[in-house]
Amino acid sequence: MSNANADSETTAPASTGVQSVDRAVSVLEILAQRGEAGVSEVAAEIDVHKSTAFRLLGALEARGLVEQTAERGKYRLGFGIVRLAGAVTGRLDVTQQGRQVCERLSEEVGETVNIAVLQEHFAVNLHQVRGPGAVGTHNWVGQLTPVHATSSGKILLAHLSDKERDDVLAASGTKRLTPRTLTSRTKLEQDLAQARERGYAVTLEELEIGLHAMAAPIRARDGEVVAALSASGPAYRFTEERIHALAPLLMRGAREISHRMGWLG
């Protein structure tokens, strides 16, 4: 048997599996849009034979992700979807609770305001509001950013346990992104200790040259830090002095979101 044949036999099942997953997700999206649909409708929508659509729906039904309506032959989303959605409810909630605060804060600070959470070993931005003085059109929403070089990442790191922080930094590393990036673990730990002490983290051209930022912690009902509220802007205007002067405003905003999340601290 040639290597080429061996490769094709190895990759074919994986390719088929990915296609099945893609089709299953498409089925869920169709039901989400339509409310309910029959096997024939689903088959036509994803361009497969009815027997394939029936098998996909059967597999999803077995997991509780879809269910049949009283009228046989029609399917709708099942309550298994709620179980999956529960895994991200907290993140969706912090965005919902923080939206109004972000809008007000962006006006008061005049810079871009973001809410970010820890995703594996990255800080991922969930929500962004651009201030009236924001420069450029960069959209940070959905972006995975390095924890050691962003203010959001730093404040999230600062409130992890030592073991959790070790694990995150072991996975992420401390790559030098600019001449000002903190790559020394000792210096980073000192910076994180300072962030915990004063209640906010700062980055000065550590992610990008010309970009400054600060972030404060958002807490859940039990006091755990679950997200970061940040403000960022151009270094020539969002200077280190201005950052420290505006920090109390940012921390008040983070506390307000925390209280909306149920924190009573």
Side-chain angles (χ1 to χ4, degrees):
M1 181 185 294
S2 70
N3 288 336
N5 288 337
D7 289 342
S8 64
E9 289 187 9
T10 300
T11 58
S15 175
T16 302
V18 170
Q19 185 181 49
S20 296
V21 171
D22 184 63
R23 285 173 173 173
V25 172
S26 295
V27 171
L28 296 175
E29 290 176 339
I30 291 166
L31 296 181
Q33 292 168 359
R34 296 192 179 193
E36 61 180 40
V39 176
S40 297
E41 296 171 90
V42 169
E45 189 73 26
I46 62 176
D47 194 24
V48 298
H49 193 274
K50 281 180 62 177
S51 62
T52 301
F54 186 77
R55 285 197 300 272
L56 286 168
L57 286 162
L60 292 169
E61 185 178 21
R63 295 300 184 98
L65 299 176
V66 305
E67 61 186 20
Q68 288 192 336
T69 63
E71 178 189 349
R72 297 291 294 180
K74 293 284 187 178
Y75 290 83
R76 63 188 176 198
L77 293 180
F79 283 100
I81 292 291
V82 177
R83 183 184 67 250
L84 296 179
V88 295
T89 297
R91 294 180 180 183
L92 296 175
D93 194 40
V94 74
T95 300
Q96 182 179 10
Q97 298 300 333
R99 193 178 304 274
Q100 185 178 348
V101 175
C102 288
E103 290 174 356
R104 187 187 71 234
L105 193 61
S106 69
E107 288 288 335
E108 293 173 339
V109 175
E111 307 291 354
T112 298
V113 173
N114 275 280
I115 292 178
V117 296
L118 194 63
Q119 173 77 23
E120 296 179 349
H121 55 274
F122 295 99
V124 58
N125 293 283
L126 302 181
H127 183 63
Q128 174 176 299
V129 178
R130 290 169 52 77
V135 177
T137 59
H138 191 88
N139 184 1
W140 293 97
V141 174
Q143 297 252 340
L144 300 176
T145 59
V147 288
H148 71 293
T150 57
S151 60
S152 293
K154 282 186 183 181
I155 205 67
L156 292 168
L157 274 178
H159 290 88
L160 293 177
S161 68
D162 292 345
K163 173 65 166 59
E164 290 171 327
R165 186 159 58 252
D166 286 343
D167 290 344
V168 169
L169 289 174
S172 68
T174 52
K175 181 180 178 182
R176 185 177 299 280
L177 302 170
T178 77
R180 302 195 67 173
T181 305
L182 298 182
T183 58
S184 161
R185 181 63 185 271
T186 300
K187 290 183 178 180
L188 180 59
E189 287 290 353
Q190 291 171 347
D191 195 65
L192 297 179
Q194 187 177 39
R196 280 192 298 272
E197 182 179 346
R198 67 188 175 193
Y200 62 98
V202 174
T203 51
L204 305 172
E205 298 187 290
E206 295 167 45
L207 177 66
E208 294 179 3
I209 294 296
L211 179 67
H212 285 179
M214 62 174 171
I218 297 172
R219 299 177 186 273
R221 182 184 300 273
D222 59 1
E224 177 189 3
V225 173
V226 294
L229 177 67
S230 70
S232 59
Y236 69 83
R237 183 177 67 215
F238 203 44
T239 62
E240 185 174 3
E241 293 75 18
R242 187 160 178 257
I243 283 174
H244 293 306
L246 291 171
L249 200 60
L250 182 79
M251 290 189 290
R252 281 198 297 273
R255 281 196 298 272
E256 182 178 342
I257 297 173
S258 299
H259 292 156
R260 290 179 178 218
M261 297 283 289
W263 182 56
L264 302 176

